[in-house]
Amino acid sequence: MIHAEHADSAVLNDLSGRVIGCAFNVLNTLGAGFLEKVYENALAIEMRATGLAIVQQHAVTVLYRDMVVANISRTSWSRTCFWSN
């Protein structure tokens, strides 16, 4: 996991730019009006095509004071430092 105080700004800026570029490519290609799953799958394809590793619907356990408060599914993970929902 990358913490902000230890993050390499150049790496994060590059990753952010690549992810945003992928999102724009998907939106410009598909347009508006589809269900979220269509965009999620298209974004995963676009991100993989640009060389990003991505896992869809990754389960995450949320802890509070060492107790599980939720088990959720995040939409997308890339390089373990980006997610969307």
Side-chain angles (χ1 to χ4, degrees), residues 38-52:
V38 173
Y39 296 105
E40 177 191 335
N41 291 337
L43 182 59
I45 291 167
E46 188 70 28
M47 291 174 74
R48 287 183 184 114
T50 64
L52 293 170

Side-chain angles (χ1 to χ4, degrees), residues 2-34:
I2 295 178
H3 298 283
E5 65 271 11
H6 303 293
D8 182 342
S9 294
V11 171
L12 290 178
N13 286 340
D14 175 62
L15 177 60
S16 297
R18 292 172 69 189
V19 171
I20 291 168
C22 289
F24 275 113
N25 285 343
V26 168
L27 181 60
N28 290 336
T29 301
L30 293 178
F34 292 104

Side-chain angles (χ1 to χ4, degrees), residues 7-85:
D8 182 342
S9 294
V11 171
L12 290 178
N13 286 340
D14 175 62
L15 177 60
S16 297
R18 292 172 69 189
V19 171
I20 291 168
C22 289
F24 275 113
N25 285 343
V26 168
L27 181 60
N28 290 336
T29 301
L30 293 178
F34 292 104
L35 294 174
E36 180 181 349
K37 189 67 174 174
V38 173
Y39 296 105
E40 177 191 335
N41 291 337
L43 182 59
I45 291 167
E46 188 70 28
M47 291 174 74
R48 287 183 184 114
T50 64
L52 293 170
I54 182 169
V55 177
Q56 290 179 259
Q57 299 298 325
H58 182 79
V60 176
T61 300
V62 180
L63 301 175
Y64 178 76
R65 295 186 181 215
D66 297 323
M67 297 178 69
V68 175
V69 294
N71 289 301
I72 59 175
S73 179
R74 300 304 299 189
T75 302
S76 301
W77 293 78
S78 177
R79 289 191 189 175
T80 68
C81 66
F82 168 82
W83 71 79
S84 68
N85 194 14

